[in-house]
Amino acid sequence: MEIIPMLLKEMDAEAVTTRKMLSIVPTDKFDWKPHPKSMSIRELAGHIAELPGWVTMALTTNGLDFAANPYQLPEVHNTEDILAEFEKSFASGRAHLEKATEADLLPDWTLRNGDTIYDVSSKAEVIRTAFCQMVHHRAQLGVFLRLLNIPIPGSYGPSADEMHLYDFESAFSQ
């Protein structure tokens, strides 16, 4: 079984849910955070938007050294900027993955900060981690939005805000 078609299918599916979530981020709440140690909504949504670009980074580099390349969030000023950043990073990541070969997924990729190594994984594992990070941070964003009383869309089924749209009793009684 080939890995790239499975990764592309997962990437496409997660993009649908991510677009729904990012599209409801309110610009007037960009600087809000639920706790002093939390990212702001702007930072969190910006990070989610850039994560598909980690597929490109995994396939075109041998690693990331924060000491040589300090992390910078994408600059976003409104919801449209977030969506544009997501579409840009998604298109890049997907295009690089489509062009990749199975052999391109095998080499190691290293995440470090100077001499401190955080992780060494195959490029395939780094791609899967990027997808997991997108889901993880998207869930965080869902909590942030819920705390602001903003109805959230479902990810893998209806959210609590959408339950009234479905008749589960009749669906399971047949």
Side-chain angles (χ1 to χ4, degrees), residues 104-124:
D104 292 333
L105 302 176
L106 301 176
D108 282 344
W109 192 90
T110 303
L111 181 64
R112 67 175 57 224
N113 189 4
D115 293 334
T116 303
I117 295 176
Y118 297 129
D119 183 62
V120 177
S121 298
S122 72
K123 291 184 177 203

Side-chain angles (χ1 to χ4, degrees), residues 2-80:
E2 292 185 357
I3 296 171
I4 290 173
M6 291 188 307
L7 291 173
L8 286 166
K9 181 179 179 181
E10 182 177 8
M11 189 174 195
D12 289 342
E14 293 303 334
V16 170
T17 304
T18 301
R19 279 185 195 100
K20 287 191 299 186
M21 188 66 78
L22 293 177
S23 71
I24 63 168
V25 172
T27 300
D28 67 332
K29 300 292 186 193
F30 263 29
D31 296 324
W32 185 86
K33 54 172 78 174
H35 187 275
K37 291 183 180 181
S38 298
M39 287 187 270
S40 68
I41 287 182
R42 176 195 317 266
E43 293 165 332
L44 183 56
H47 182 50
I48 294 166
E50 74 175 348
L51 280 168
W54 282 60
V55 175
T56 301
M57 185 170 41
L59 291 169
T60 60
T61 69
N62 293 322
L64 174 61
D65 182 353
F66 289 118
N69 300 293
Y71 179 68
Q72 292 184 329
L73 283 164
E75 191 172 321
V76 292
H77 302 286
N78 54 50
T79 306
E80 293 75 25

